[in-house]
């Protein structure tokens, strides 16, 4: 499938040399290159329900990555291994080419898989307009950093077992084996009834070991116009694609260690819910909690940004593990 990726070239002796657009032939769409040891504030904590699913804020003391997102939480060894792999990839580039070539943006093709139990929206059969609106939300979030999303195809499957599958189950594996399309730099989105979480994603570093599992799974009601308020403006997909591009939660590691490995996202002890302005759970560290960051757990209406450091990480991870793989 045709697509365009943009690169920044870094030589061994100079910092940067322009940008290079790489074309695979045929028509393309271009993209522009470019943003608790102490008591916590609990503004916005509450319980909410839609359909038969119940979610609670941090008053339930849920400070793990299973509250909103079931993406695997990597341990320190796994995080360090990924950092080493990216470093070695760059060193090999410099040795072979005399420079580094990092993708700094481009068009990501999207295959959208709607899993349903019937023909009604309440049965998972989200409309074509909802899907179009979801892609628009993604483009708004990622465009400042040079990335855009192109909907290539949508398919619809009626299967109650797949619709109610959980992360890591045989049902999920069978669903992805049957439906996944494209290569490492193509995004597959599956909408199902995700149960007590809003979604999950694979990481770029996992692709070579298990390409069939690659992609994101989101609650069907989390797309724009869905019934999962306050998580129905489309940013569950934004969040999960952040993982798919190599980002961790802003609260990973809490107030100690390397955290999310991004230097410009302030340390955060635990997930934030609602939109608790002024929350500061790591008061011995600089900056208030990054509650407006897409990689936290706040309401969709509260999320509106990635950081420059997160952009650099996404670029490096995409180049290492996805580009032309």
């Amino acid at each position: 499938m045709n697509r365009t990726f943009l690169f920044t070239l870094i030589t061994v002796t100079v910092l940067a040399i322009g940008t290079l657009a790489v074309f695979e032939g045929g028509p393309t769409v271009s993209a522009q290159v470019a943003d608790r040891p102490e008591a916590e504030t609990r503004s916005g904590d509450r319980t909410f329900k839609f359909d038969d699913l119940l979610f609670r804020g941090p008053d339930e003391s849920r400070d793990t990555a299973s509250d909103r997102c079931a993406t695997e939480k990597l341990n320190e060894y796994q995080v360090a291994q990924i950092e080493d792999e990216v470093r070695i990839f760059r060193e090999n580039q410099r040795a072979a080419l005399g420079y580094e070539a990092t993708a700094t943006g481009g068009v990501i093709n999207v295959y959208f898989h709607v899993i349903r139990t019937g023909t009604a929206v309440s049965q998972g059969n989200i409309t074509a307009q909802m899907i179009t609106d979801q892609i628009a939300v993604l483009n708004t979030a990622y465009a400042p950093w040079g990335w855009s999303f192109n909907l290539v195809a949508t398919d619809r499957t009626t299967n109650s077992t797949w619709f109610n599958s959980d992360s890591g189950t045989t049902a999920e594996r069978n669903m992805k084996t049957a439906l996944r399309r494209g290569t490492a730099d193509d995004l597959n989105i599956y909408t199902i009834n995700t149960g007590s979480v809003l979604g999950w994603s694979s990481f770029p570093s996992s692709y070579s070991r298990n390409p069939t599992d690659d992609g994101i799974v989101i609650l069907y009601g989390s797309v724009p116009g869905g019934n999962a308020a306050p998580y129905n403006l489309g940013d569950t997909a934004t969040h999960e694609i952040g993982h798919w591009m190599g980002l961790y939660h802003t609260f990973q590691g809490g107030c100690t260690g390397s955290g999310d490995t991004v230097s410009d996202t302030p340390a955060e002890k635990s997930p934030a819910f609602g939109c608790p302005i002024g929350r500061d759970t790591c008061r011995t560290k600089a900056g208030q909690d990054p509650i407006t960051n897409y990689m936290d757990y706040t309401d969709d209406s509260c999320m509106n940004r990635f950081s420059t450091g997160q952009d650099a990480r996404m670029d490096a991870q995409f180049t290492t593990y996805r580009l032309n793989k």
Side-chain angles (χ1 to χ4, degrees):
M1 187 62 63
N2 299 324
R3 57 231 190 244
T4 304
F5 294 108
L6 302 177
F7 291 82
T8 294
L9 305 184
I10 304 177
T11 72
V12 177
T13 55
V14 297
L15 293 178
I17 304 178
T19 58
L20 171 68
V22 176
F23 301 90
E24 294 190 354
T28 58
V29 181
S30 62
Q32 297 297 317
V33 178
D35 157 67
R36 287 177 212 203
E38 304 180 36
E40 66 179 89
T41 302
R42 296 207 170 183
S43 171
D45 294 0
R46 70 266 192 236
T47 301
F48 59 94
K49 183 176 182 180
F50 57 91
D51 287 350
D52 295 321
L53 305 180
L54 185 67
F55 287 78
R56 290 183 176 88
D59 55 305
E60 294 292 310
S61 299
R62 301 165 107 187
D63 58 357
T64 69
S66 62
D67 289 319
R68 171 172 178 168
C69 170
T71 297
E72 178 186 10
K73 183 178 180 180
L74 303 183
N75 60 40
E76 291 184 5
Y77 172 80
Q78 291 170 310
V79 170
Q81 183 178 35
I82 291 170
E83 299 308 299
D84 283 344
E85 289 173 354
V86 173
R87 176 182 54 79
I88 292 169
F89 177 85
R90 288 173 164 172
E91 289 175 353
N92 290 341
Q93 267 195 336
R94 290 196 300 267
L97 305 174
Y99 58 85
E100 294 177 16
T102 301
T104 54
V107 181
I108 296 173
N109 285 327
V110 177
Y111 296 94
F112 212 107
H113 310 288
V114 177
I115 314 302
R116 61 191 182 181
T117 59
T119 58
V121 172
S122 62
Q123 295 172 306
N125 193 36
I126 60 175
T127 67
Q129 186 60 55
M130 287 174 157
I131 295 171
T132 297
D133 292 344
Q134 178 64 82
I135 298 298
V137 168
L138 299 179
N139 283 328
T140 297
Y142 285 88
W145 309 107
W147 297 98
S148 65
F149 297 85
N150 174 45
L151 181 63
V152 173
T154 300
D155 55 62
R156 298 174 185 272
T157 303
T158 303
N159 187 311
S160 60
T161 301
W162 294 358
F163 180 71
N164 292 296
S165 61
D166 292 325
S167 175
T169 60
T170 298
E172 183 202 17
R173 183 165 56 253
N174 291 342
M175 173 183 72
K176 290 181 173 180
T177 299
L179 298 178
R180 193 188 183 282
R181 297 175 62 184
T183 59
D185 50 24
D186 297 312
L187 173 64
N188 283 253
I189 300 177
Y190 304 83
T191 55
I192 66 170
N193 175 18
T194 53
S196 62
V197 298
L198 293 175
W200 59 85
S201 173
S202 60
F203 285 112
S205 55
S206 302
Y207 180 83
S208 62
R209 295 188 301 275
N210 190 4
T212 302
D213 185 57
D214 191 63
I216 74 165
V217 180
I218 60 172
L219 178 67
Y220 73 91
S222 71
V223 301
N227 59 1
Y231 300 131
N232 63 341
L233 301 181
D235 282 323
T236 290
T238 307
H239 176 102
E240 298 305 339
I241 292 169
H243 290 311
W244 187 82
M245 294 286 284
L247 298 183
Y248 304 131
H249 292 129
T250 53
F251 48 84
Q252 177 150 325
C255 300
T256 61
S258 61
D260 63 355
T261 75
V262 176
S263 61
D264 62 355
T265 53
E268 184 177 26
K269 184 179 180 181
S270 59
F273 293 83
C275 195
I277 304 299
R279 184 178 189 257
D280 188 0
T281 56
C282 296
R283 297 187 183 179
T284 61
K285 298 291 185 71
Q288 295 179 343
D289 293 357
I291 65 164
T292 59
N293 194 283
Y294 289 118
M295 301 312 294
D296 208 335
Y297 278 2
T298 48
D299 294 351
D300 281 11
S301 60
C302 190
M303 295 178 163
N304 58 30
R305 70 192 61 200
F306 290 113
S307 73
T308 300
Q310 286 175 317
D311 173 49
R313 180 174 178 82
M314 288 191 285
D315 294 347
Q317 293 277 309
F318 191 92
T319 303
T320 302
Y321 295 112
R322 295 199 178 282
L323 185 64
N324 296 326
K325 300 293 196 298

